[in-house]
């Protein structure tokens, strides 16, 4: 793997020695060299989502970090796409905004057919996988993990959909997904407690349990969350709110207690 | 600062065994990256033609792109020639498709299997850049080093140096081959962290293709 990518990297974009990569992507340098996004600047943390009885619920916090600085505290990282889907993003926030522009263009041109058909979550997800994979092939990735959820009427009744794509185009469908830190901290909780027939109230409870764990253990998460749902009735993105925290646990106050060490 | 890496290994193991009039293709359904499991139910097997299936492990993004390219080319072949592509023809197409990206390869390790134009079982095994060989059985992917010696031991393929060339197909019956495949997967799952969750088995014979799933260890 490493050997392979290094060989390929050698043929990739060349950065002039000593120059710091410019902030924007695609900034053409004088020598004809093109600077691509080599690493993310402003990033959002975990997104979690799961299917429940009537559709899909998705949640994340509203923070965006500049490295380890908490730069923005009130950004929306979950958005509605068309009539049947919602999208959530972690990773580079400006790349997510570009993806939203692509999706606006896609849903607009789809609407203009005026044929009564509309793109469902499966189609939107498929489109996103191609966009992400094509950009990685150009060595100019969109630095995100995307979660797409939706419900659409199909031949076998309402079909719920929940899928994920990452920055290099790996994609899959699941009953519950989580990006970033959520993959380590929320997925084990979801695997233990998720059920197909959860009510919305139960789903919110489970999501909040995951968000709370992330708030305690993911340093870049903040206590301002947004929950969104998508059902056959359409999407609802709820206003941000905070969770009640409790920092009085003995192991929070004295984490070294019981841990024998030499210092 | 960590550089952008366009590859990732999503793991998984693929096996195929050819018999006189059948072919067994199997792959686990675990999708992982590093120490994380992304999905426990992600199929690695693609039906490319009537009697031709492809099982792939490696980078999932490349695998999907490869499957899409092959499916599209098969459809064009079908329209041009008014017949489905044969498995040996698909084998050459897959080799060419992989080599076309020699200097930015598809990170995919493939086993292509099915029935040839005589109705005999065939297995083609590949590397990521298109080298391939027709064999009687093969294993590819993260668990291949654990499975291949067992298959060698149980199936005793004739040396490719023998003249005249011997038939590479295995002497096993269809149900014995399926049982062997189940056993090698159960064993590899014990030691390979990238193999597990579920096993998808596709059997191809004169009556068509049949799909079967069994559970594997989930830890």
């Amino acid at each position: 793997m490493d050997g392979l990518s290094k060989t390929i990297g050698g043929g990739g974009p060349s950065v002039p020695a000593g120059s710091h990569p410019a902030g924007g992507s695609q900034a053409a340098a004088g020598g004809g060299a093109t600077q691509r996004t080599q690493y993310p600047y402003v990033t959002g943390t975990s997104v979690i989502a799961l299917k429940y009885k009537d559709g899909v619920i998705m949640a994340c916090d509203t923070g965006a970090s500049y490295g380890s600085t908490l730069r923005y505290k009130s950004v929306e990282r979950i958005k509605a796409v068309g009539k049947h889907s919602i999208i959530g993003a972690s990773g580079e926030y400006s790349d997510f905004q570009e993806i939203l522009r692509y999706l606006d263009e896609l849903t607009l041109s789809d609407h203009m057919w005026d044929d009564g058909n509309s793109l469902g979550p499966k189609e939107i997800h498929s489109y996103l996988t191609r966009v992400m994979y094509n950009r990685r092939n150009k060595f100019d990735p969109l630095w995100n993990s995307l979660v797409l959820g939706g419900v659409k009427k199909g031949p076998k009744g309402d079909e719920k959909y929940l899928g994920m794509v990452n920055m290099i185009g790996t994609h899959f469908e699941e009953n519950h997904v989580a990006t970033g830190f959520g993959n380590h901290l929320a997925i084990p909780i979801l695997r233990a407690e998720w059920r197909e027939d959860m009510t919305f109230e139960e789903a919110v409870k489970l999501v909040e349990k995951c968000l709370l764990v992330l708030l305690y253990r993911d340093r870049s998460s903040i206590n301002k969350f947004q929950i969104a749902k998508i059902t056959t009735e359409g999407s609802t993105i709820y206003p941000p709110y905070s969770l009640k925290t409790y920092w009085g646990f003995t192991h929070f106050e004295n984490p070294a207690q019981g841990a024998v060490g030499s210092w | 600062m960590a550089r952008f890496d366009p590859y990732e290994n999503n793991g998984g193991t693929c096996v195929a065994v050819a018999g006189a009039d059948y072919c067994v293709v199997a792959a686990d359904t675990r999708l992982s990256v590093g120490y994380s499991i992304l999905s426990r139910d992600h199929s690695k097997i693609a039906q490319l033609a009537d009697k031709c299936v492809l099982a792939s492990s490696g980078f999932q993004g490349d695998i999907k792109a490869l499957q899409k390219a092959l499916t599209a080319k098969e459809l064009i072949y079908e329209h041009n020639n008014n017949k489905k592509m044969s498995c040996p023809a698909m084998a050459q197409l897959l080799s060419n498709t992989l080599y076309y990206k020699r200097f930015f390869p598809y990170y995919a390790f493939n086993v292509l299997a099915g029935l040839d134009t005589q109705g005999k079982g065939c297995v083609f095994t590949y590397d990521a850049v298109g080298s391939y060989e027709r064999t009687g059985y093969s294993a590819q992917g993260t668990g291949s080093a654990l499975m291949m010696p067992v298959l060698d031991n149980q199936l005793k393929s004739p040396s490719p140096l023998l003249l005249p060339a011997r038939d590479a197909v295995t002497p096993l019956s269809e149900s014995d081959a399926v049982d062997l495949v189940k056993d090698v997967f159960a064993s590899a799952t014990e030691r390979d962290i990238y193999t597990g969750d579920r096993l998808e088995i596709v059997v191809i014979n004169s009556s068509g293709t049949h799909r079967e799933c069994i559970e594997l260890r989930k830890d």
Side-chain angles (χ1 to χ4, degrees):
Chain A
M1 255 306 257
D2 264 323
L4 200 56
S5 62
K6 263 178 200 130
T7 320
I8 289 148
S14 57
V15 185
S19 76
H20 181 76
S25 62
Q26 299 285 3
T34 311
Q35 180 62 57
R36 268 70 81 87
T37 311
Q38 306 275 357
Y39 43 85
Y41 282 81
V42 177
T43 57
T45 182
S46 319
V47 178
I48 61 174
L50 54 112
K51 288 184 193 171
Y52 70 101
K53 190 161 62 107
D54 309 311
V56 174
I57 181 169
M58 198 182 284
C60 65
D61 68 19
T62 61
S65 309
Y66 177 74
S68 50
T69 306
L70 213 210
R71 182 65 183 81
Y72 304 101
K73 296 184 184 183
S74 192
V75 292
E76 278 198 29
R77 293 194 288 119
I78 299 176
K79 297 277 185 184
V81 183
K83 278 187 242 168
H84 317 285
S85 319
I86 48 176
I87 185 174
S90 56
E92 170 62 42
Y93 193 66
S94 70
D95 282 350
F96 177 51
Q97 291 176 321
E98 184 165 319
I99 288 164
L100 289 176
R101 283 195 288 274
Y102 294 153
L103 289 172
D104 263 353
E105 195 180 304
L106 179 75
T107 46
L108 180 68
S109 61
D110 178 48
H111 183 71
M112 284 193 298
W113 283 95
D114 199 22
D115 56 0
N117 293 322
S118 51
L119 295 172
K122 214 194 263 176
E123 291 81 13
I124 304 280
H125 185 239
S126 179
Y127 171 83
L128 286 172
T129 63
R130 277 15 270 162
V131 170
M132 299 305 271
Y133 183 72
N134 281 306
R135 289 291 291 263
R136 89 106 211 191
N137 281 348
K138 292 172 184 161
F139 278 83
D140 185 16
L142 293 163
W143 216 285
N144 302 100
S145 278
L146 303 172
V147 178
L148 198 103
V151 190
K152 200 188 175 194
K153 276 197 175 63
K156 287 170 275 176
D158 294 342
E159 286 174 21
K160 284 173 258 182
Y161 188 93
L162 180 56
M164 235 184 92
V165 211
N166 73 5
M167 61 179 288
I168 59 173
T170 305
H171 57 280
F172 56 92
E173 259 187 83
E174 261 297 349
N175 293 321
H176 45 70
V177 297
T179 67
F181 241 100
N183 203 13
H184 296 102
L185 299 181
I187 288 290
I189 301 171
L190 294 172
R191 280 184 186 151
E193 299 184 21
W194 179 85
R195 283 177 294 108
E196 177 99 63
D197 62 342
M198 298 181 96
T199 63
F200 179 67
E201 288 69 28
E202 286 175 313
V204 168
K205 261 196 176 159
L206 180 55
V207 153
E208 285 181 347
K209 188 174 180 179
C210 295
L211 290 174
L212 200 63
V213 171
L214 285 164
L215 179 64
Y216 283 138
R217 288 297 174 185
D218 176 1
R219 65 156 188 195
S220 48
S221 68
I222 61 165
N223 195 359
K224 189 174 177 186
F225 301 103
Q226 256 189 323
I227 288 184
K229 71 170 177 181
I230 175 89
T231 62
T232 35
E233 262 73 73
S235 61
T236 316
I237 301 177
Y238 293 97
Y241 70 106
S242 291
L243 289 173
K244 206 170 139 261
T245 55
Y246 177 70
W247 299 93
F249 298 114
T250 45
H251 278 78
F252 278 179
E253 291 183 336
N254 185 10
Q257 187 185 59
V260 188
S262 55
W263 64 90
Chain B
M1 180 66 79
R3 256 184 60 88
F4 166 63
D5 183 357
Y7 291 112
E8 146 180 309
N9 189 357
N10 300 113
T13 313
C14 312
V15 165
V17 176
D21 58 352
Y22 69 88
C23 201
V24 183
V25 188
D28 66 312
T29 63
R30 178 175 289 187
L31 188 76
S32 350
V33 59
Y35 290 124
S36 301
I37 294 170
L38 298 177
S39 176
R40 295 190 192 278
D41 195 17
H42 185 90
S43 177
K44 293 178 182 69
I45 300 179
Q47 174 97 236
L48 298 177
D50 274 350
K51 285 162 184 170
C52 193
V53 298
L54 176 66
S56 334
S57 89
F59 167 39
Q60 194 270 347
D62 276 346
I63 289 167
K64 259 297 147 58
L66 182 62
Q67 289 173 352
K68 271 176 182 264
L70 292 174
T71 310
K73 282 174 181 165
E74 202 282 332
L75 189 65
I76 291 166
Y77 177 98
E78 216 176 301
H79 286 138
N80 286 336
N81 302 286
N82 199 28
K83 64 176 182 188
K84 296 267 187 189
M85 201 182 278
S86 70
C87 199
M90 181 60 80
Q92 184 61 54
L93 176 65
L94 174 55
S95 174
N96 295 155
T97 310
L98 290 168
Y99 194 78
Y100 185 77
K101 272 172 70 69
R102 173 63 180 78
F103 299 107
F104 183 24
Y106 286 118
Y107 193 67
F109 299 97
N110 301 293
V111 180
L112 184 78
L115 301 180
D116 66 11
T117 41
Q118 272 85 253
K120 208 160 63 178
C122 57
V123 171
F124 298 89
T125 182
Y126 293 80
D127 75 359
V129 289
S131 309
Y132 80 114
E133 185 188 20
R134 183 171 172 172
T135 56
Y137 58 90
S138 186
Q140 286 282 7
T142 53
S144 65
L146 280 76
M147 292 189 191
M148 206 54 197
V150 182
L151 295 174
D152 287 331
N153 177 256
Q154 293 294 303
L155 299 172
K156 306 226 189 299
S157 85
S159 165
L161 301 175
L162 288 174
L163 284 172
R166 303 296 156 81
D167 215 344
V169 297
T170 62
L172 260 50
S173 72
E174 189 184 297
S175 64
D176 283 350
V178 170
D179 286 347
L180 175 66
V181 163
K182 288 178 183 173
D183 279 347
V184 292
F185 266 97
S187 304
T189 301
E190 295 285 332
R191 291 286 176 167
D192 179 22
I193 59 165
Y194 298 112
T195 301
D197 295 326
R198 254 146 66 85
L199 177 62
E200 186 184 14
I201 306 168
V202 175
V203 179
I204 308 151
N205 53 31
S206 53
S207 69
T209 62
H210 314 273
R211 199 170 150 273
E212 180 189 347
C213 276
I214 64 160
E215 298 297 310
L216 293 171
R217 284 179 75 111
K218 284 166 179 49
D219 59 0

